[in-house]
Amino acid sequence: MGLPTPGTNKLQVLRAIEEGWQAFCRAPWPFLLFEVLVLVVSAPFAALLAGGVVRLNSPEPAFVHPIAAGIGLVVGLVGYVVVALWGAVGLTRAAWISLDGQKPSFAQFTRWDRCASGRLLGSVLLLSVLIGLVGVLATLIGTALGQVNAALAALPAVVFGVFYIWLLVSQKFLLQLSLFGVKRPLETIQSGVSGVNPSWWVVLWLAIVEAVVHAVAALFSYGGLLVVLPVVICTSTAAYRQLFGSQDHTGILKA
């Protein structure tokens, strides 16, 4: 059985927020401890990545050879991406289990799922390529129009800005679709567009509410951000289930 017909289900933002908070409250300490674990594991890779970037962009002599800095940059980037995928999959899997009314175990947080991580990485890369291509196209058109009339040069930028906002909102559930909805990155993008468009303004409202929550949490520094991330993932997953159903179409929960 595939995803529901677009427009069949409706999104209720307040209900999603309530369900997301309840899901987090079923296992608050595992959520927070796993977040801390992800941060600790990713810290060395982030340091390698930052150190490599600084060294390769610094004209001053340094103790680290450029080749070593390049290797560190690659290792840091690959390691950081792998850990980020592991964290995103673990938190979202646990959010789904908690929304089903169960308390996720710590093993369900930490279990590595190569297929799910690969689907998520492929979807993110495809979306990045799409945004990049449209940006390059808008730049080329803007440059050409600028040679005709300077006032027209800004038109492609405006159009691209509108497209960018529409696309980001339509891909609000890219994470959940990649893990639970479909198995191919292109289908993930297409399903996001077709599934979100009938409720686009409501999904935009959800994104605004989550952004406000992030901003409020930032006032409490790292502690607030540490708590708000799993809450937002639980809320987004609850909203996804309202629009796309609560069925695991990829078998991630059985892996």
Side-chain angles (χ1 to χ4, degrees):
M1 181 179 179
L3 296 173
T5 303
T8 302
N9 301 328
K10 302 299 180 182
L11 172 60
Q12 300 177 31
V13 174
L14 293 180
R15 198 183 101 197
I17 294 173
E18 180 182 2
E19 291 176 346
W21 176 251
Q22 291 174 349
F24 170 73
C25 289
R26 286 192 180 95
W29 288 114
F31 272 108
L32 297 178
L33 289 175
F34 180 65
E35 271 192 285
V36 172
L37 177 61
V38 171
L39 289 174
V40 170
V41 175
S42 65
F45 296 110
L48 281 174
L49 180 60
V53 171
V54 171
R55 173 64 186 91
L56 293 177
N57 287 279
S58 175
E60 300 296 329
F63 292 106
V64 180
H65 193 276
I67 295 179
I71 294 174
L73 178 63
V74 173
V75 172
L77 178 61
V78 172
Y80 190 82
V81 169
V82 170
V83 175
L85 291 171
W86 173 57
V89 173
L91 286 173
T92 310
R93 181 198 294 118
W96 189 280
I97 293 171
S98 190
L99 285 165
D100 278 338
Q102 307 171 38
K103 182 177 180 179
S105 66
F106 201 67
Q108 290 170 319
F109 280 92
T110 58
R111 188 177 78 245
W112 169 255
D113 190 321
R114 180 181 59 83
C115 294
S117 299
R119 292 197 304 272
L120 178 57
L121 178 61
S123 299
V124 171
L125 290 176
L126 180 59
L127 179 61
S128 301
V129 169
L130 177 60
I131 292 174
L133 288 176
V134 174
V136 170
L137 181 61
T139 301
L140 294 175
I141 295 175
T143 302
L145 290 177
Q147 295 176 353
V148 177
N149 189 316
L152 295 176
L155 184 59
V158 174
V159 174
F160 173 69
V162 173
F163 171 79
Y164 183 71
I165 294 173
W166 168 81
L167 182 62
L168 286 186
V169 174
S170 73
Q171 299 307 312
K172 176 71 175 68
F173 305 111
L174 180 76
L175 173 59
Q176 289 81 9
L177 275 170
S178 298
L179 302 186
F180 302 102
V182 293
K183 295 186 176 182
R184 295 181 179 86
L186 182 58
E187 293 177 356
T188 300
I189 304 295
Q190 293 171 339
S191 298
V193 171
S194 61
V196 168
N197 268 351
S199 305
W200 192 91
W201 290 104
V202 184
V203 176
L204 175 62
W205 172 236
L206 173 66
I208 292 173
V209 170
E210 291 181 348
V212 171
V213 171
H214 270 289
V216 172
L219 297 176
F220 297 91
S221 190
Y222 299 108
L225 293 174
L226 191 69
V227 172
V228 79
L229 179 59
V231 173
V232 168
I233 288 180
C234 288
T235 299
S236 293
T237 305
Y240 166 87
R241 287 160 63 103
Q242 288 184 27
L243 281 180
F244 295 92
S246 57
Q247 183 178 350
D248 171 20
H249 296 280
T250 63
I252 182 176
L253 299 178
K254 302 176 182 178

